[in-house]
Amino acid sequence: MSRERVVTIVPEAGLHARPASAFVKAVTDHDAEVSAGPPDGDLVQAGSMIAVTSLGAGQGDDLRLVAEGPDAEAVLDELERILTTPEEELDA
Amino acid sequence: MTDAIEADDIDELIPASHISLTEPPAEKEACIEYLLDLLVEAGRVEDRETALAALLERESETTTGVGMGIGIPHAKTDAVSRPSLAFARSEDGVDFGSMDGEPATLIFMILVPASGSEDHLKILSSLSRGLMHEEVRDDLHAAEDEAAVQDALREAIA
């Protein structure tokens, strides 16, 4: 089961600091292989903090997420929630 | 997504005086101060306490231990007037509390002026992209002098 979606990043810090650690933790907490990257570029392993940091994804950037595995849909829902929640409202 | 930094930027970002090849303190906060002092002694930091507070504040949000044995403490602060990078390496490893549990053996510090928000992500992402390659990490561990560290970094971000 493979699922994908494109999400626009809301937190001011981008995919960085708390949003990034919540993002990586959500990936590792689910039974799914997830990759992430620009809509028209190479994807990296979303469960690796250094890989996620390497994307340099800022506020307003679109991020493509591809998930495969039993939790594919659930993990994408959670990642979308993290990416669209302003940093000060993020409780992770 | 942000543009990459270029190989030519290395001399300006991280001159030899920002590089330590001796063992840093084993404890994270002391290690952060050790790296900060490289930049202070090089004349890059106008206000050490302000810079340290910004670094520790960022660290309290979530660790800058990004895994694969790498720590990148960083902050945006007006204690610096231009982007600055420092490097130290540890044989013993420093516990950065990273998600993969690996102690940090390659430790970088990034300080950028508070207004330079683009620089911040740009340096962080370029550095991370390079450090994902095992040969870059091996070169940094094997470097025998500051120039070899700079060469490895030029390769890393090329």
Side-chain angles (χ1 to χ4, degrees), chain B:
Chain B
M1 317 273 158
T2 45
D3 298 332
I5 53 172
E6 288 167 20
D8 291 349
D9 296 333
I10 289 297
D11 289 324
E12 160 62 20
L13 264 179
I14 180 165
S17 59
H18 298 188
I19 296 169
S20 161
L21 298 175
T22 50
E23 186 69 25
E27 190 270 325
K28 181 169 115 168
E29 265 195 47
C31 181
I32 286 174
E33 293 203 39
Y34 177 86
L35 276 156
L36 175 58
D37 284 335
L38 291 174
L39 296 174
V40 170
E41 281 155 31
R44 292 287 191 119
V45 180
E46 283 134 45
D47 180 347
R48 184 185 186 279
E49 293 317 303
T50 299
L52 181 59
L55 286 159
L56 296 181
E57 156 114 34
R58 168 61 188 83
E59 217 58 44
S60 72
E61 236 184 85
T62 179
T63 181
T64 59
V66 293
M68 291 184 164
I70 295 155
I72 316 180
H74 59 271
K76 286 196 281 184
T77 169
D78 281 327
V80 294
S81 55
R82 54 193 162 131
S84 300
L85 181 64
F87 169 77
R89 69 181 177 202
S90 168
E91 295 289 323
D92 304 334
V94 178
D95 183 2
F96 260 72
S98 74
M99 267 189 245
D100 70 358
E102 293 251 349
T105 54
L106 300 173
I107 305 151
F108 292 88
M109 174 171 287
I110 305 170
L111 291 178
V112 298
S115 54
S117 54
E118 281 285 299
D119 290 338
H120 182 240
L121 276 184
K122 193 164 82 170
I123 298 169
L124 198 54
S125 61
S126 293
L127 193 58
S128 299
R129 203 173 308 132
L131 291 168
M132 286 167 70
H133 299 287
E134 191 176 6
E135 62 270 24
V136 170
R137 301 196 299 274
D138 287 348
D139 286 351
L140 287 167
H141 279 296
E144 287 184 0
D145 55 28
E146 291 84 351
V149 170
Q150 292 173 313
D151 286 343
L153 289 174
R154 275 187 210 98
E155 284 289 308
I157 64 168

Side-chain angles (χ1 to χ4, degrees), chain A residues 1-88:
Chain A
M1 185 166 84
S2 175
R3 293 277 185 274
E4 74 169 87
R5 68 183 75 164
V6 174
V7 179
T8 304
I9 298 171
V10 169
E12 198 183 340
L15 186 51
H16 173 236
R18 277 173 65 225
S21 73
F23 182 93
V24 171
K25 187 164 184 303
V27 171
T28 54
D29 283 351
H30 285 83
D31 186 7
E33 288 291 317
V34 186
S35 44
D40 56 353
D42 293 337
L43 303 181
V44 300
Q45 276 187 43
S48 157
M49 182 60 96
I50 189 166
V52 166
T53 304
S54 78
L55 292 172
Q59 184 183 38
D61 286 339
D62 284 338
L63 194 69
R64 179 176 168 226
L65 304 168
V66 180
E68 192 146 359
D71 287 350
E73 197 69 39
V75 75
L76 290 184
D77 286 346
E78 177 64 6
L79 295 178
E80 179 168 354
R81 186 188 72 81
I82 291 164
L83 293 174
T84 56
T85 303
E87 202 176 336
E88 61 276 11

